[in-house]
Amino acid sequence: MRLILMGPPGAGKGTQAKGVADHFGIPAISTGDIFRANVSQGTPLGIEAKRYMDAGEYVPDEVTNLMVRNRIDEDDAKPGFLLDGYPRTLAQVTELDGMIAFTGHALDAVVVLTVNSEELVQRLLQRAKTEGRADDTEEVIRRRQEVYAEQTEPLIDVYRGRGLLIEVDGLGEIDEVSGRIFAALDAVKQS
Ligand code: ADP
Protein backbone atom coordinates (compact mmCIF):
# COMPACT_ATOMS: atom_id res chain seq x y z
CA MET A 1 0.00 0.00 0.00
CA ARG A 2 1.16 3.51 -0.82
CA LEU A 3 -0.95 5.95 1.11
CA ILE A 4 -1.13 9.63 1.92
CA LEU A 5 -2.82 10.92 5.05
CA MET A 6 -3.89 14.55 4.76
CA GLY A 7 -5.77 17.01 6.91
CA PRO A 8 -5.47 20.45 8.46
CA PRO A 9 -3.16 21.04 11.45
CA GLY A 10 -4.82 19.39 14.45
CA ALA A 11 -6.97 16.98 12.43
CA GLY A 12 -5.25 14.04 14.11
CA LYS A 13 -2.99 12.86 11.30
CA GLY A 14 -0.10 12.00 13.58
CA THR A 15 -2.35 10.09 15.98
CA GLN A 16 -3.93 8.04 13.21
CA ALA A 17 -0.85 7.54 11.04
CA LYS A 18 0.87 5.00 13.28
CA GLY A 19 -2.22 2.80 13.71
CA VAL A 20 -3.05 2.82 10.02
CA ALA A 21 0.54 2.04 9.03
CA ASP A 22 0.71 -0.85 11.53
CA HIS A 23 -2.59 -2.20 10.21
CA PHE A 24 -1.08 -2.48 6.72
CA GLY A 25 2.46 -3.43 7.84
CA ILE A 26 4.09 -0.35 6.32
CA PRO A 27 6.14 2.47 7.89
CA ALA A 28 4.46 5.77 8.77
CA ILE A 29 6.63 8.56 7.41
CA SER A 30 5.91 11.88 9.09
CA THR A 31 7.78 14.87 7.70
CA GLY A 32 6.89 16.88 10.82
CA ASP A 33 8.43 14.16 13.06
CA ILE A 34 11.57 13.93 10.91
CA PHE A 35 11.99 17.71 11.04
CA ARG A 36 11.45 17.76 14.80
CA ALA A 37 14.00 14.96 15.32
CA ASN A 38 16.53 16.97 13.29
CA VAL A 39 15.76 20.12 15.27
CA SER A 40 16.33 18.37 18.57
CA GLN A 41 19.59 16.82 17.34
CA GLY A 42 20.74 20.20 16.01
CA THR A 43 21.57 18.88 12.53
CA PRO A 44 22.05 21.38 9.64
CA LEU A 45 18.64 20.26 8.29
CA GLY A 46 17.08 20.90 11.70
CA ILE A 47 18.66 24.34 12.01
CA GLU A 48 17.31 25.32 8.60
CA ALA A 49 13.83 23.82 9.16
CA LYS A 50 13.36 25.38 12.59
CA ARG A 51 13.24 28.92 11.24
CA TYR A 52 10.19 28.06 9.14
CA MET A 53 8.47 25.74 11.59
CA ASP A 54 8.54 28.23 14.45
CA ALA A 55 6.80 30.77 12.22
CA GLY A 56 4.16 28.30 11.02
CA GLU A 57 5.54 28.43 7.45
CA TYR A 58 6.41 25.48 5.24
CA VAL A 59 10.01 24.39 4.91
CA PRO A 60 11.16 25.02 1.28
CA ASP A 61 10.15 22.29 -1.18
CA GLU A 62 13.72 21.42 -2.23
CA VAL A 63 14.64 20.63 1.36
CA THR A 64 11.50 18.61 2.10
CA ASN A 65 11.51 16.75 -1.23
CA LEU A 66 15.07 15.55 -0.81
CA MET A 67 14.40 14.40 2.72
CA VAL A 68 11.34 12.37 1.65
CA ARG A 69 13.15 10.91 -1.35
CA ASN A 70 15.91 9.61 0.91
CA ARG A 71 13.42 8.18 3.40
CA ILE A 72 11.36 6.41 0.73
CA ASP A 73 14.55 4.85 -0.62
CA GLU A 74 15.13 2.99 2.64
CA ASP A 75 14.47 -0.76 2.67
CA ASP A 76 11.49 -0.74 5.02
CA ALA A 77 9.57 1.48 2.59
CA LYS A 78 9.98 -0.89 -0.37
CA PRO A 79 6.66 -2.72 0.30
CA GLY A 80 4.85 0.58 0.74
CA PHE A 81 4.45 3.51 3.10
CA LEU A 82 2.04 5.93 4.62
CA LEU A 83 2.99 9.57 4.23
CA ASP A 84 1.84 11.90 7.01
CA GLY A 85 2.32 15.58 6.23
CA TYR A 86 3.62 15.17 2.69
CA PRO A 87 2.87 16.32 0.02
CA ARG A 88 1.72 19.73 1.21
CA THR A 89 2.26 21.80 -1.96
CA LEU A 90 1.50 21.23 -5.64
CA ALA A 91 5.23 21.11 -6.35
CA GLN A 92 5.56 18.32 -3.78
CA VAL A 93 2.75 16.39 -5.51
CA THR A 94 4.69 16.45 -8.77
CA GLU A 95 7.88 15.44 -7.04
CA LEU A 96 6.19 12.55 -5.25
CA ASP A 97 4.61 11.37 -8.52
CA GLY A 98 8.12 11.08 -9.93
CA MET A 99 9.45 9.21 -6.90
CA ILE A 100 6.62 6.66 -6.99
CA ALA A 101 6.71 6.23 -10.77
CA PHE A 102 10.43 5.51 -10.48
CA THR A 103 9.67 2.52 -8.23
CA GLY A 104 7.17 1.18 -10.80
CA HIS A 105 4.27 1.44 -8.37
CA ALA A 106 1.28 3.73 -7.97
CA LEU A 107 -0.42 5.57 -5.16
CA ASP A 108 -3.33 3.55 -3.74
CA ALA A 109 -5.30 6.19 -1.86
CA VAL A 110 -5.27 9.62 -0.26
CA VAL A 111 -7.17 9.86 3.02
CA VAL A 112 -8.29 13.31 4.14
CA LEU A 113 -9.40 13.81 7.72
CA THR A 114 -12.09 16.49 7.93
CA VAL A 115 -12.66 18.48 11.13
CA ASN A 116 -14.19 21.95 11.54
CA SER A 117 -11.75 24.80 12.22
CA GLU A 118 -12.96 25.85 15.70
CA GLU A 119 -12.54 22.30 16.99
CA LEU A 120 -9.06 22.32 15.42
CA VAL A 121 -7.88 25.43 17.27
CA GLN A 122 -9.19 24.00 20.56
CA ARG A 123 -7.36 20.70 20.01
CA LEU A 124 -4.11 22.44 19.15
CA LEU A 125 -4.27 24.74 22.16
CA GLN A 126 -4.92 21.68 24.32
CA ARG A 127 -1.91 19.92 22.75
CA ALA A 128 0.18 23.03 23.45
CA LYS A 129 -0.49 22.51 27.17
CA THR A 130 0.35 18.80 27.21
CA GLU A 131 3.18 18.51 24.66
CA GLY A 132 4.59 22.03 24.63
CA ARG A 133 5.39 22.10 20.92
CA ALA A 134 7.05 25.39 19.94
CA ASP A 135 4.65 25.92 17.03
CA ASP A 136 1.44 25.48 19.05
CA THR A 137 0.92 29.11 20.14
CA GLU A 138 -2.38 30.65 19.05
CA GLU A 139 -0.72 33.03 16.58
CA VAL A 140 1.36 30.32 14.94
CA ILE A 141 -1.62 27.92 14.88
CA ARG A 142 -3.67 30.51 12.95
CA ARG A 143 -0.80 31.02 10.50
CA ARG A 144 -0.47 27.26 9.98
CA GLN A 145 -4.19 27.10 9.21
CA GLU A 146 -3.85 29.90 6.64
CA VAL A 147 -0.87 28.25 5.00
CA TYR A 148 -2.79 24.96 4.87
CA ALA A 149 -5.80 26.64 3.22
CA GLU A 150 -3.61 28.44 0.67
CA GLN A 151 -1.07 25.80 -0.21
CA THR A 152 -2.38 22.38 0.80
CA GLU A 153 -6.18 22.43 0.36
CA PRO A 154 -5.84 22.64 -3.44
CA LEU A 155 -4.22 19.18 -3.35
CA ILE A 156 -7.56 17.70 -2.29
CA ASP A 157 -9.08 18.53 -5.68
CA VAL A 158 -6.05 17.17 -7.50
CA TYR A 159 -6.37 13.77 -5.83
CA ARG A 160 -10.16 13.81 -6.12
CA GLY A 161 -9.68 14.32 -9.84
CA ARG A 162 -7.51 11.23 -9.95
CA GLY A 163 -10.16 9.18 -8.16
CA LEU A 164 -7.85 8.55 -5.19
CA LEU A 165 -9.53 10.67 -2.53
CA ILE A 166 -11.21 9.21 0.54
CA GLU A 167 -12.76 11.71 2.94
CA VAL A 168 -13.06 10.55 6.53
CA ASP A 169 -14.84 12.38 9.35
CA GLY A 170 -12.10 13.13 11.89
CA LEU A 171 -14.50 13.98 14.72
CA GLY A 172 -14.97 11.41 17.46
CA GLU A 173 -12.91 9.05 19.59
CA ILE A 174 -9.51 8.00 18.25
CA ASP A 175 -10.67 4.37 17.75
CA GLU A 176 -13.84 5.46 16.04
CA VAL A 177 -11.87 7.52 13.52
CA SER A 178 -9.36 4.65 12.99
CA GLY A 179 -12.27 2.31 12.35
CA ARG A 180 -13.59 4.60 9.63
CA ILE A 181 -10.16 4.80 7.98
CA PHE A 182 -9.66 1.01 8.05
CA ALA A 183 -13.11 0.36 6.61
CA ALA A 184 -12.51 2.80 3.74
CA LEU A 185 -9.02 1.47 3.00
CA ASP A 186 -9.93 -2.21 3.24
CA ALA A 187 -12.46 -1.51 0.50
CA VAL A 188 -9.71 0.04 -1.64
CA LYS A 189 -7.36 -2.88 -1.02
CA GLN A 190 -9.94 -5.41 -2.20
CA SER A 191 -10.92 -3.47 -5.31
P1 ADP B 1 0.82 19.79 11.85
O1 ADP B 1 0.53 19.31 13.23
O2 ADP B 1 0.63 21.26 11.70
O3 ADP B 1 0.15 19.00 10.79
P2 ADP B 1 3.48 18.64 11.32
O4 ADP B 1 3.94 18.05 12.58
O5 ADP B 1 3.04 17.70 10.25
O6 ADP B 1 2.36 19.72 11.65
O7 ADP B 1 4.61 19.61 10.72
C1 ADP B 1 5.16 20.64 11.50
C2 ADP B 1 5.88 21.65 10.60
O8 ADP B 1 6.91 20.99 9.83
C3 ADP B 1 5.03 22.36 9.56
O9 ADP B 1 4.31 23.46 10.09
C4 ADP B 1 6.10 22.77 8.53
O10 ADP B 1 6.84 23.90 8.95
C5 ADP B 1 7.04 21.58 8.54
N1 ADP B 1 6.63 20.60 7.50
C6 ADP B 1 6.15 19.35 7.72
N2 ADP B 1 5.87 18.73 6.55
C7 ADP B 1 6.18 19.62 5.56
C8 ADP B 1 6.10 19.60 4.15
N3 ADP B 1 5.63 18.52 3.48
N4 ADP B 1 6.51 20.69 3.46
C9 ADP B 1 6.98 21.76 4.09
N5 ADP B 1 7.06 21.87 5.43
C10 ADP B 1 6.66 20.82 6.17
Coordinates of all heavy atoms in Angstrom, one line a residue, residues 15-84:
T15 N -1.7 11.1 15.1 CA -2.4 10.1 16.0 C -2.8 8.9 15.2 O -2.6 7.7 15.6 CB -3.6 10.7 16.7 OG1 -3.2 11.9 17.3 CG2 -4.2 9.7 17.7
Q16 N -3.4 9.1 14.0 CA -3.9 8.0 13.2 C -2.9 7.3 12.4 O -3.0 6.1 12.1 CB -5.0 8.6 12.3 CG -6.3 9.1 13.0 CD -7.0 8.0 13.8 OE1 -6.9 6.9 13.5 NE2 -7.7 8.5 14.8
A17 N -1.8 8.1 12.0 CA -0.8 7.5 11.0 C -0.2 6.2 11.5 O -0.2 5.3 10.7 CB 0.2 8.6 10.8
K18 N 0.2 6.2 12.8 CA 0.9 5.0 13.3 C 0.0 3.8 13.2 O 0.4 2.7 12.7 CB 1.3 5.3 14.7 CG 2.2 4.2 15.3 CD 3.7 4.5 14.9 CE 4.6 3.4 15.4 NZ 4.4 2.1 14.7
G19 N -1.3 3.9 13.7 CA -2.2 2.8 13.7 C -2.5 2.3 12.3 O -2.6 1.1 12.1
V20 N -2.7 3.2 11.4 CA -3.1 2.8 10.0 C -1.9 2.1 9.4 O -2.0 1.1 8.7 CB -3.4 4.1 9.2 CG1 -3.7 3.7 7.7 CG2 -4.7 4.7 9.8
A21 N -0.7 2.7 9.6 CA 0.5 2.0 9.0 C 0.7 0.6 9.6 O 1.0 -0.3 8.8 CB 1.8 2.9 9.3
D22 N 0.6 0.5 10.9 CA 0.7 -0.9 11.5 C -0.3 -1.8 10.9 O 0.0 -3.0 10.7 CB 0.5 -0.8 13.0 CG 1.7 -0.2 13.8 OD1 2.7 0.0 13.1 OD2 1.6 0.2 15.0
H23 N -1.5 -1.4 10.8 CA -2.6 -2.2 10.2 C -2.2 -2.8 8.8 O -2.5 -3.9 8.5 CB -3.8 -1.3 10.1 CG -5.1 -2.0 9.6 ND1 -5.9 -2.8 10.4 CD2 -5.7 -2.0 8.3 CE1 -6.9 -3.2 9.7 NE2 -6.8 -2.8 8.4
F24 N -1.5 -2.0 8.1 CA -1.1 -2.5 6.7 C 0.4 -3.0 6.7 O 0.9 -3.3 5.6 CB -1.3 -1.4 5.7 CG -2.8 -1.1 5.5 CD1 -3.4 0.0 6.0 CD2 -3.6 -2.0 4.7 CE1 -4.7 0.3 5.8 CE2 -4.9 -1.7 4.6 CZ -5.5 -0.6 5.1
G25 N 1.1 -3.0 7.8 CA 2.5 -3.4 7.8 C 3.4 -2.6 7.0 O 4.4 -3.1 6.4
I26 N 3.2 -1.3 7.0 CA 4.1 -0.3 6.3 C 4.6 0.7 7.3 O 3.9 1.0 8.3 CB 3.4 0.3 5.1 CG1 2.0 0.9 5.5 CG2 3.2 -0.7 4.0 CD1 1.2 1.6 4.4
P27 N 5.7 1.4 7.0 CA 6.1 2.5 7.9 C 5.3 3.7 7.7 O 4.9 4.1 6.6 CB 7.6 2.7 7.5 CG 7.7 2.2 6.1 CD 6.7 1.1 5.9
A28 N 5.1 4.4 8.8 CA 4.5 5.8 8.8 C 5.6 6.8 8.7 O 6.5 6.8 9.5 CB 3.7 6.0 10.0
I29 N 5.6 7.6 7.6 CA 6.6 8.6 7.4 C 6.0 9.9 7.6 O 5.2 10.4 6.9 CB 7.2 8.4 6.0 CG1 7.8 7.0 5.8 CG2 8.3 9.5 5.7 CD1 8.4 6.8 4.4
S30 N 6.4 10.6 8.7 CA 5.9 11.9 9.1 C 7.0 12.9 8.9 O 8.0 12.9 9.6 CB 5.4 11.9 10.6 OG 5.4 13.2 11.0
T31 N 6.8 13.8 7.9 CA 7.8 14.9 7.7 C 7.9 15.8 8.9 O 9.0 16.1 9.3 CB 7.4 15.7 6.5 OG1 6.0 16.0 6.5 CG2 7.7 15.0 5.2
G32 N 6.8 16.1 9.6 CA 6.9 16.9 10.8 C 7.8 16.2 11.9 O 8.6 16.9 12.5
D33 N 7.6 14.9 12.1 CA 8.4 14.2 13.1 C 9.9 14.2 12.6 O 10.8 14.3 13.5 CB 8.0 12.7 13.2 CG 6.7 12.6 14.0 OD1 6.3 13.6 14.6 OD2 6.1 11.5 14.1
I34 N 10.2 14.0 11.4 CA 11.6 13.9 10.9 C 12.2 15.3 11.1 O 13.3 15.4 11.6 CB 11.7 13.5 9.4 CG1 11.1 12.1 9.2 CG2 13.2 13.5 9.0 CD1 11.1 11.6 7.8
F35 N 11.5 16.4 10.8 CA 12.0 17.7 11.0 C 12.3 17.9 12.5 O 13.3 18.4 12.9 CB 11.0 18.8 10.5 CG 11.1 19.0 9.0 CD1 9.9 19.1 8.3 CD2 12.3 19.1 8.4 CE1 9.9 19.3 6.9 CE2 12.3 19.3 7.0 CZ 11.2 19.4 6.3
R36 N 11.3 17.5 13.4 CA 11.4 17.8 14.8 C 12.6 17.0 15.4 O 13.4 17.5 16.2 CB 10.2 17.4 15.6 CG 9.1 18.6 15.6 CD 7.9 18.3 16.4 NE 7.1 17.2 15.9 CZ 6.2 17.4 14.9 NH1 6.0 18.6 14.4 NH2 5.5 16.4 14.5
A37 N 12.8 15.8 14.9 CA 14.0 15.0 15.3 C 15.3 15.7 14.9 O 16.2 15.7 15.7 CB 13.9 13.6 14.7
N38 N 15.3 16.2 13.7 CA 16.5 17.0 13.3 C 16.8 18.2 14.1 O 17.9 18.6 14.4 CB 16.4 17.3 11.8 CG 16.9 16.1 10.9 OD1 18.1 15.9 10.7 ND2 15.9 15.3 10.5
V39 N 15.6 18.9 14.4 CA 15.8 20.1 15.3 C 16.4 19.7 16.6 O 17.3 20.4 17.1 CB 14.4 20.8 15.5 CG1 14.5 21.9 16.5 CG2 13.9 21.4 14.1
S40 N 15.8 18.7 17.2 CA 16.3 18.4 18.6 C 17.8 17.8 18.6 O 18.5 18.0 19.5 CB 15.4 17.4 19.3 OG 15.3 16.2 18.7
Q41 N 18.2 17.3 17.4 CA 19.6 16.8 17.3 C 20.5 17.9 16.8 O 21.7 17.7 16.7 CB 19.7 15.6 16.4 CG 19.1 14.3 17.0 CD 18.7 13.3 15.9 OE1 19.2 13.4 14.8 NE2 17.9 12.4 16.3
G42 N 19.9 19.1 16.5 CA 20.7 20.2 16.0 C 21.5 20.0 14.7 O 22.5 20.5 14.5
T43 N 20.9 19.1 13.8 CA 21.6 18.9 12.5 C 21.4 20.1 11.6 O 20.5 21.0 11.9 CB 20.9 17.7 11.8 OG1 19.6 18.1 11.4 CG2 20.9 16.4 12.7
P44 N 22.2 20.2 10.6 CA 22.0 21.4 9.6 C 20.6 21.4 9.1 O 20.0 22.5 9.0 CB 23.1 21.1 8.5 CG 24.1 20.2 9.2 CD 23.4 19.4 10.2
L45 N 20.0 20.3 8.8 CA 18.6 20.3 8.3 C 17.7 20.8 9.3 O 16.8 21.6 9.0 CB 18.2 18.8 7.9 CG 16.8 18.6 7.5 CD1 16.4 19.3 6.2 CD2 16.4 17.1 7.4
G46 N 17.9 20.4 10.6 CA 17.1 20.9 11.7 C 17.2 22.4 11.9 O 16.2 23.1 12.1
I47 N 18.4 22.9 11.8 CA 18.7 24.3 12.0 C 17.9 25.1 10.9 O 17.3 26.1 11.2 CB 20.2 24.7 12.0 CG1 20.8 24.0 13.3 CG2 20.5 26.2 12.0 CD1 22.3 23.9 13.3
E48 N 18.0 24.6 9.7 CA 17.3 25.3 8.6 C 15.8 25.2 8.8 O 15.1 26.2 8.7 CB 17.7 24.7 7.3 CG 16.7 24.9 6.1 CD 17.3 25.6 4.9 OE1 18.4 25.1 4.5 OE2 16.7 26.5 4.4
A49 N 15.3 24.0 9.1 CA 13.8 23.8 9.2 C 13.2 24.6 10.3 O 12.1 25.1 10.2 CB 13.5 22.3 9.3
K50 N 13.9 24.7 11.4 CA 13.4 25.4 12.6 C 12.9 26.8 12.3 O 11.8 27.2 12.8 CB 14.4 25.4 13.7 CG 13.9 25.8 15.1 CD 14.9 25.7 16.1 CE 14.5 26.1 17.5 NZ 13.3 26.9 17.8
R51 N 13.6 27.5 11.5 CA 13.2 28.9 11.2 C 11.8 29.0 10.7 O 11.0 29.9 11.0 CB 14.2 29.5 10.2 CG 15.6 29.8 10.7 CD 16.3 30.6 9.7 NE 16.7 29.8 8.5 CZ 16.8 30.2 7.2 NH1 16.4 31.5 7.0 NH2 17.2 29.5 6.3
Y52 N 11.5 28.1 9.8 CA 10.2 28.1 9.1 C 9.1 27.5 10.1 O 8.0 28.1 10.2 CB 10.2 27.2 7.9 CG 11.2 27.8 6.8 CD1 12.5 27.3 6.8 CD2 10.8 28.8 6.0 CE1 13.4 27.8 5.9 CE2 11.7 29.3 5.1 CZ 13.0 28.8 5.0 OH 13.9 29.3 4.1
M53 N 9.5 26.4 10.7 CA 8.5 25.7 11.6 C 8.0 26.7 12.7 O 6.8 26.7 13.0 CB 9.1 24.5 12.2 CG 9.4 23.4 11.1 SD 10.3 22.1 11.8 CE 9.1 21.2 12.7
D54 N 8.9 27.4 13.3 CA 8.5 28.2 14.4 C 7.6 29.3 14.0 O 6.9 29.9 14.8 CB 9.8 28.8 15.1 CG 10.5 27.8 16.0 OD1 10.0 26.7 16.1 OD2 11.6 28.1 16.5
A55 N 7.7 29.7 12.7 CA 6.8 30.8 12.2 C 5.5 30.2 11.6 O 4.7 31.0 11.2 CB 7.6 31.6 11.2
G56 N 5.4 28.9 11.6 CA 4.2 28.3 11.0 C 4.2 28.2 9.5 O 3.2 28.0 8.9
E57 N 5.4 28.5 8.9 CA 5.5 28.4 7.5 C 6.0 27.1 7.0 O 6.6 26.3 7.8 CB 6.6 29.5 7.0 CG 6.3 30.9 7.4 CD 5.0 31.5 6.8 OE1 4.6 31.0 5.7 OE2 4.4 32.4 7.4
Y58 N 5.9 26.7 5.7 CA 6.4 25.5 5.2 C 7.9 25.6 5.0 O 8.4 26.6 4.6 CB 5.7 25.1 3.9 CG 4.3 24.6 4.1 CD1 3.4 24.5 3.0 CD2 3.8 24.2 5.3 CE1 2.1 24.1 3.2 CE2 2.5 23.8 5.5 CZ 1.7 23.7 4.4 OH 0.4 23.3 4.5
V59 N 8.6 24.5 5.2 CA 10.0 24.4 4.9 C 10.1 24.4 3.4 O 9.2 23.8 2.7 CB 10.6 23.1 5.5 CG1 12.0 22.9 5.2 CG2 10.4 23.1 7.1
P60 N 11.1 25.0 2.8 CA 11.2 25.0 1.3 C 11.1 23.6 0.6 O 11.6 22.6 1.2 CB 12.5 25.7 1.0 CG 12.8 26.5 2.2 CD 12.2 25.7 3.4
D61 N 10.4 23.6 -0.5 CA 10.2 22.3 -1.2 C 11.4 21.5 -1.4 O 11.4 20.3 -1.3 CB 9.4 22.5 -2.5 CG 8.0 22.9 -2.4 OD1 7.4 22.4 -1.3 OD2 7.4 23.6 -3.2
E62 N 12.5 22.2 -1.9 CA 13.7 21.4 -2.2 C 14.2 20.6 -1.0 O 14.7 19.5 -1.2 CB 14.9 22.3 -2.7 CG 14.5 23.4 -3.7 CD 13.9 24.6 -3.0 OE1 14.6 25.3 -2.3 OE2 12.7 24.8 -3.1
V63 N 14.1 21.3 0.1 CA 14.6 20.6 1.4 C 13.8 19.4 1.7 O 14.2 18.3 2.0 CB 14.6 21.7 2.5 CG1 15.1 21.0 3.8 CG2 15.5 22.9 2.2
T64 N 12.5 19.7 1.7 CA 11.5 18.6 2.1 C 11.5 17.5 1.1 O 11.5 16.3 1.5 CB 10.1 19.2 2.2 OG1 10.2 20.4 3.0 CG2 9.1 18.2 2.8
N65 N 11.5 17.8 -0.2 CA 11.5 16.7 -1.2 C 12.7 15.8 -1.1 O 12.6 14.6 -1.2 CB 11.5 17.4 -2.6 CG 10.2 18.0 -3.0 OD1 9.1 17.6 -2.5 ND2 10.2 19.0 -3.8
L66 N 13.9 16.4 -0.9 CA 15.1 15.6 -0.8 C 15.0 14.6 0.4 O 15.3 13.4 0.3 CB 16.3 16.4 -0.7 CG 17.6 15.7 -0.7 CD1 17.8 14.9 -2.0 CD2 18.8 16.7 -0.5
M67 N 14.5 15.2 1.5 CA 14.4 14.4 2.7 C 13.4 13.2 2.5 O 13.7 12.1 2.9 CB 13.9 15.3 3.8 CG 13.8 14.7 5.2 SD 13.2 16.0 6.3 CE 11.4 15.8 6.2
V68 N 12.3 13.4 1.9 CA 11.3 12.4 1.6 C 11.9 11.3 0.7 O 11.8 10.1 0.9 CB 10.0 12.9 1.1 CG1 9.0 11.8 0.7 CG2 9.3 13.8 2.2
R69 N 12.6 11.8 -0.4 CA 13.2 10.9 -1.4 C 14.1 9.9 -0.7 O 14.1 8.7 -0.9 CB 13.9 11.7 -2.4 CG 14.5 10.9 -3.5 CD 15.3 11.8 -4.5 NE 14.3 12.7 -5.3 CZ 13.7 12.3 -6.4 NH1 13.9 11.0 -6.8 NH2 12.9 13.1 -7.0
N70 N 15.0 10.5 0.2 CA 15.9 9.6 0.9 C 15.2 8.6 1.8 O 15.6 7.5 1.9 CB 16.9 10.5 1.7 CG 17.8 11.2 0.9 OD1 18.1 10.8 -0.3 ND2 18.3 12.3 1.4
R71 N 14.1 9.1 2.5 CA 13.4 8.2 3.4 C 12.7 7.1 2.7 O 12.7 5.9 3.1 CB 12.4 9.0 4.2 CG 11.6 8.2 5.2 CD 12.5 7.6 6.3 NE 11.8 6.7 7.2 CZ 11.6 5.4 6.9 NH1 12.1 4.8 5.7 NH2 10.9 4.6 7.7
I72 N 12.1 7.4 1.5 CA 11.4 6.4 0.7 C 12.3 5.4 0.1 O 11.9 4.2 -0.1 CB 10.5 7.1 -0.4 CG1 9.3 7.8 0.3 CG2 10.1 6.2 -1.5 CD1 8.4 8.5 -0.7
D73 N 13.5 5.8 -0.1 CA 14.6 4.8 -0.6 C 15.0 3.8 0.4 O 15.6 2.8 0.0 CB 15.8 5.7 -1.0 CG 15.8 6.0 -2.5 OD1 14.9 5.5 -3.2 OD2 16.6 6.9 -2.9
E74 N 14.7 4.0 1.6 CA 15.1 3.0 2.6 C 14.4 1.7 2.5 O 13.2 1.7 2.0 CB 15.0 3.6 4.1 CG 16.0 4.6 4.3 CD 15.9 5.2 5.7 OE1 15.5 4.5 6.7 OE2 16.2 6.4 5.8
D75 N 15.0 0.6 2.9 CA 14.5 -0.8 2.7 C 13.1 -1.0 3.2 O 12.2 -1.6 2.6 CB 15.4 -1.8 3.3 CG 16.6 -2.1 2.3 OD1 16.5 -1.7 1.2 OD2 17.6 -2.7 2.8
D76 N 12.8 -0.5 4.4 CA 11.5 -0.7 5.0 C 10.3 -0.1 4.2 O 9.2 -0.5 4.4 CB 11.5 -0.3 6.5 CG 11.6 1.3 6.6 OD1 12.1 1.9 5.7 OD2 11.1 1.8 7.6
A77 N 10.6 0.8 3.4 CA 9.6 1.5 2.6 C 9.4 0.8 1.2 O 8.5 1.3 0.5 CB 9.9 3.0 2.4
K78 N 10.1 -0.2 0.9 CA 10.0 -0.9 -0.4 C 8.6 -1.5 -0.6 O 8.0 -1.4 -1.6 CB 11.0 -2.0 -0.6 CG 12.5 -1.4 -0.6 CD 12.9 -1.0 -2.0 CE 14.4 -0.6 -2.1 NZ 14.7 0.8 -1.5
P79 N 8.0 -2.2 0.5 CA 6.7 -2.7 0.3 C 5.5 -1.7 0.3 O 4.4 -2.0 0.0 CB 6.5 -3.7 1.5 CG 7.8 -3.7 2.2 CD 8.6 -2.5 1.8
G80 N 5.9 -0.5 0.7 CA 4.8 0.6 0.7 C 5.1 1.5 1.9 O 6.1 1.3 2.7
F81 N 4.3 2.5 2.0 CA 4.5 3.5 3.1 C 3.2 4.3 3.3 O 2.4 4.4 2.4 CB 5.6 4.4 2.8 CG 5.6 4.9 1.4 CD1 4.8 6.0 1.0 CD2 6.5 4.4 0.4 CE1 4.8 6.4 -0.3 CE2 6.4 4.8 -0.9 CZ 5.6 5.9 -1.3
L82 N 3.1 5.0 4.4 CA 2.0 5.9 4.6 C 2.7 7.3 4.9 O 3.5 7.4 5.8 CB 1.2 5.5 5.8 CG 0.1 6.5 6.2 CD1 -1.1 5.8 6.7 CD2 0.5 7.5 7.2
L83 N 2.4 8.3 4.1 CA 3.0 9.6 4.2 C 2.1 10.4 5.1 O 0.9 10.6 4.7 CB 3.2 10.2 2.9 CG 4.3 9.6 2.0 CD1 4.2 10.1 0.6 CD2 5.7 9.8 2.6
D84 N 2.6 11.0 6.1 CA 1.8 11.9 7.0 C 2.5 13.3 6.9 O 3.6 13.5 7.4 CB 1.9 11.3 8.4 CG 1.6 12.3 9.5 OD1 1.1 13.4 9.2 OD2 2.0 12.0 10.7

